[in-house]
């Protein structure tokens, strides 16, 4: 799953491509989900993976930091890949949410994570032997254990985040404004969590790695744009 900066940059690209107004509600919906992992019991529950799920708070409830009703949230976090995100389950459990930009922002976040997970699990890595704590890097054949897999994957996130922010034309002032919006809308713990990973570092230039190259990332962005547009407009 990409970082907060990636999600924000992607949502800005989506708004630009579709001509949709990028509203405050859309920004909050796009960014809030990862801050709810703990309240839901696990990322698996907050992201509707492998039969787990939760009843997400309404926009008006985010400031309160309410307890989230979740199911199958006793999943023990591992270094290996999570099951795919189930959008049908998200929709079925969260019919109480108004059909607005906030809910669409949540959809955009989940769909972006799902497309990224597909890239990781189906293209970049062979995860068929994960039960034995082994992941194979497809383009080099290198075998790594689960802990090394997560460590090296996460090391690429800051560069990936800055790449999409630049592509979307996001400025440092804009990022600071979004952080102010977060603290005005969410409880302080959630706002602080998101802000920690919503960073602007224009000096961090892209360079290809063993896992990622620029062509793969652009294909990911284009595929995710196509997927989200089809889903939101259906």
């Amino acid at each position: 799953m990409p970082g907060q900066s990636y999600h924000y940059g992607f949502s800005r690209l989506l708004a630009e491509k579709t001509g949709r107004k990028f509203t405050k509600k859309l920004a909050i919906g796009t960014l809030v989900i990862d801050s709810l992992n703990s309240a839901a019991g696990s990322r698996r529950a907050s992201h509707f993976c492998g039969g787990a799920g939760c009843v997400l708070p309404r926009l008006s409830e985010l400031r309160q930091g309410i307890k989230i009703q979740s199911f199958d949230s006793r999943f023990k976090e591992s270094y290996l890949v999570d099951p795919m995100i189930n959008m049908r389950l998200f929709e079925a459990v969260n019919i109480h949410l108004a059909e607005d930009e906030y809910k669409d922002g949540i959809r955009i976040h989940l769909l972006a994570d799902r497309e990224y997970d597909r890239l990781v699990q189906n293209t970049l890595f062979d995860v068929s032997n994960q039960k034995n704590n082994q992941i194979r890097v497809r383009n080099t054949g290198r075998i790594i254990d689960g802990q090394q897999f997560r460590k090296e994957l996460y090391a690429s996130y800051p560069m990936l985040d800055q790449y999409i922010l630049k592509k979307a034309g996001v400025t440092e002032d804009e990022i600071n404004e979004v952080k102010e919006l977060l603290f005005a809308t969410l409880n302080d713990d959630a706002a602080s969590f998101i802000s920690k990973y919503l960073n602007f570092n224009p000096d961090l230039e892209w360079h290809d790695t063993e896992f990622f190259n620029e062509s793969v990332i652009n294909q990911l962005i284009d595929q995710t744009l196509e997927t989200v547009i089809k889903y939101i407009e259906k």
Side-chain angles (χ1 to χ4, degrees):
M1 57 289 186
Q4 297 292 348
S5 297
Y6 179 94
H7 281 293
Y8 184 80
F10 175 79
S11 294
R12 288 275 277 97
L13 282 177
L14 178 67
E16 179 181 334
K17 185 174 180 65
T18 59
R20 181 175 189 164
K21 185 177 180 181
F22 191 75
T23 65
K24 293 180 179 180
K25 283 186 177 181
L26 189 64
I28 293 296
T30 299
L31 295 172
V32 73
I33 290 296
D34 288 338
S35 71
L36 301 176
N37 293 352
S38 179
S42 67
R43 179 187 180 272
R44 179 177 168 116
S46 66
H47 285 65
F48 304 88
C49 299
C54 67
V55 179
L56 292 169
R58 296 177 176 86
L59 179 62
S60 60
E61 297 171 327
L62 293 176
R63 186 72 177 169
Q64 305 168 31
I66 64 170
K67 184 176 180 180
I68 295 177
Q69 298 179 26
S70 62
F71 49 91
D72 188 22
S73 61
R74 294 188 297 273
F75 175 70
K76 184 177 180 181
E77 187 70 21
S78 75
Y79 286 105
L80 304 186
V81 296
D82 285 341
M84 282 294 172
I85 290 169
N86 187 333
M87 292 301 297
R88 288 185 178 180
L89 184 58
F90 159 74
E91 299 289 356
V93 175
N94 289 283
I95 57 175
H96 65 289
L97 295 179
E99 290 295 336
D100 59 10
E101 293 93 345
Y102 170 65
K103 190 171 186 178
D104 274 350
I106 295 171
R107 288 175 171 130
I108 291 166
H109 181 113
L110 292 174
L111 289 165
D113 271 357
R114 191 177 70 176
E115 290 303 313
Y116 175 82
D117 289 347
R118 283 177 173 163
L119 173 72
V120 167
Q121 297 182 34
N122 299 337
T123 303
L124 300 182
F125 302 94
D126 175 3
V127 300
S128 60
N129 200 28
Q130 63 175 306
K131 66 180 180 180
N132 294 318
N133 198 34
Q134 291 185 344
I135 303 289
R136 183 173 67 87
V137 185
R138 288 189 184 274
N139 69 338
T140 64
R142 183 166 67 104
I143 305 295
I144 53 180
D145 64 24
Q147 185 172 4
Q148 193 68 18
F149 165 71
R150 279 287 178 94
K151 179 180 178 181
E152 295 187 28
L153 195 64
Y154 286 177
S156 301
Y157 282 8
M159 184 172 61
L160 180 58
D161 288 347
Q162 298 311 309
Y163 183 83
I164 198 166
L165 288 179
K166 290 177 184 178
K167 194 177 182 71
V170 176
T171 66
E172 185 173 16
D173 286 344
E174 183 176 346
I175 292 295
N176 289 334
E177 289 174 2
V178 173
K179 289 181 178 181
E180 291 179 4
L181 173 64
L182 291 170
F183 279 97
T185 309
L186 311 180
N187 64 76
D188 287 349
D189 287 345
S192 296
F193 176 86
I194 298 172
S195 295
K196 180 180 177 180
Y197 298 102
L198 187 60
N199 299 310
F200 184 82
N201 183 7
D203 295 329
L204 185 57
E205 297 289 340
W206 177 268
H207 64 269
D208 291 349
T209 69
E210 181 184 5
F211 295 171
F212 298 107
N213 61 57
E214 192 168 4
S215 176
V216 166
I217 295 308
N218 281 318
Q219 289 174 25
L220 169 65
I221 292 170
D222 290 343
Q223 177 61 47
T224 308
L225 285 169
E226 180 181 343
T227 297
V228 172
I229 290 171
K230 285 182 180 179
Y231 190 95
I232 296 296
E233 293 183 351
K234 72 178 181 180

